[in-house]
Amino acid sequence: MKLRKITAATAAVLALGLAATACGSSDDDSDSGSSASSGGGGKIKVGIKYDQPGIGLKEPDGSFSGFDVDVATYVAKQLGYEPNQIDWVETKSADRETAISRGDVKFIAASYSINDERKAKVDFAGPYLLAHQDLLVKTDSDISKGTDLNGKKLCSVTGSTSAQNIHDTIAPKAQLKEYSGYSECIAALQNGAVDAVTTDDSILAGFAAQDKYKGQFKLAGLKLSNENYGIGLKKGDSATLGKINDALTKMVSDGSWQKAVDANFGPANYKNDPAPKIGDIVK
């Protein structure tokens, strides 16, 4: 009898332990957005740029702004996450594939152009914006085509191929100037140290739309390349890929996409292409 009493008591303790374990089995494992289907009380980590006005910018008060931020916020909402459940993670261009493969973020929206080399490492939803390499010049500039850059000073950031491509293919007499960041290029354009700045038109429009630069610059509208911006995520995560593509489609159809374009690029008179269709990559 004594043995039976001990066994019954032990069984009761075990049952209570198993019940407690079951109740606590939903530990928050969504730090990188692993529960992206529901959100709940967890968090999702999203990669963006911190230093591109109009695209992805960390403001002095710690908030975030830009077209990519608006797109990512909309997508996260469709995945079940409120804005206060998003942890924004700075992902510089050289670190994007590593951040995804390592699980530092669930997805990245950071002026991330889709190309074959990147597609070998990560999957892409979208595209959600078709950008183009262009020139930013002063509003009174007479530069209207690539050949006008011959004898002019053309700025881009160190390591970028944008200015070199123009020099090699369009304006061999252009004087190339390199700075560590686009902010320095824009400041140089403002004070006359350079005659033009080149990179994606969306990035240039974002800078030109800043209050301190409004009315001072214009885009040349040359469309020197096609840059299909996509949302990068871990290779093989087809479930999340499908949900993000659905979210992007909905963002366009309900007008939120155009509203975000106008809010972030409109002050620079950015003439955007229509929203691209999912999977439609323009070469």
Side-chain angles (χ1 to χ4, degrees):
M1 289 294 293
K2 187 175 182 180
L3 178 60
R4 282 197 296 273
K5 287 180 180 178
I6 294 172
T7 302
T10 302
V13 171
L14 286 171
L16 287 172
L18 288 170
T21 300
C23 291
S25 63
S26 59
D27 292 341
D28 180 15
D29 62 353
S30 62
D31 284 346
S32 63
S34 58
S35 60
S37 61
S38 60
K43 293 276 191 176
I44 185 170
K45 290 185 177 179
V46 179
I48 57 170
K49 293 290 182 66
Y50 273 25
D51 59 352
Q52 290 183 346
I55 300 288
L57 182 69
K58 185 174 183 178
E59 302 284 1
D61 64 0
S63 63
F64 297 90
S65 66
F67 181 71
D68 282 350
V69 174
D70 290 345
V71 170
T73 301
Y74 189 98
V75 168
K77 176 73 172 179
Q78 298 305 304
L79 296 179
Y81 295 91
E82 296 299 326
N84 62 2
Q85 292 177 284
I86 302 173
D87 283 340
W88 300 110
V89 179
E90 182 178 19
T91 48
K92 297 180 179 180
S93 296
D95 302 330
R96 289 178 295 204
E97 286 84 30
T98 301
I100 291 171
S101 63
R102 200 165 52 199
D104 296 343
V105 295
K106 186 65 177 179
F107 65 83
I108 289 177
S111 54
Y112 202 1
S113 296
I114 302 170
N115 62 38
D116 291 340
E117 181 181 354
R118 291 168 179 165
K119 285 169 65 177
K121 301 174 184 177
V122 302
D123 281 343
F124 282 100
Y128 63 90
L129 183 73
L130 178 60
H132 309 276
Q133 184 185 344
D134 200 357
L135 301 176
L136 189 70
V137 297
K138 285 189 173 181
T139 51
D140 60 355
S141 173
D142 59 358
I143 295 174
S144 60
K145 56 185 183 295
T147 53
D148 291 339
L149 290 168
N150 282 311
K152 303 289 188 180
K153 296 175 181 177
L154 175 64
C155 186
S156 193
V157 300
T158 303
S160 170
T161 60
S162 299
Q164 191 65 50
N165 288 342
I166 290 176
H167 180 272
D168 291 346
T169 63
I170 300 173
K173 295 182 180 179
Q175 302 171 37
L176 305 186
K177 300 290 182 180
E178 290 188 338
Y179 290 83
S180 60
Y182 288 112
S183 294
E184 290 87 346
C185 276
I186 302 300
L189 179 62
Q190 184 185 40
N191 64 33
V194 300
D195 300 295
V197 180
T198 186
T199 187
D200 294 357
D201 54 5
S202 58
I203 296 173
L204 296 173
F207 276 101
Q210 290 183 288
D211 287 339
K212 62 182 177 181
Y213 295 134
K214 281 183 181 177
Q216 297 185 43
F217 306 131
K218 65 181 180 181
L219 290 163
L222 300 187
K223 296 188 176 182
L224 299 171
S225 70
N226 295 317
E227 307 296 336
N228 300 270
Y229 287 4
I231 291 181
L233 67 160
K234 185 167 287 187
K235 201 160 186 63
D237 188 357
S238 56
T240 306
L241 177 66
K243 291 172 184 175
I244 293 177
N245 278 333
D246 288 345
L248 294 174
T249 300
K250 183 178 179 181
M251 187 177 187
V252 173
S253 65
D254 69 12
S256 299
W257 183 88
Q258 189 61 53
K259 183 178 179 181
V261 168
D262 294 341
N264 292 290
F265 305 132
N269 295 317
Y270 177 63
K271 296 177 176 59
N272 64 282
D273 284 67
K277 293 181 180 180
I278 300 301
D280 187 7
I281 307 299
V282 178
K283 299 295 187 181

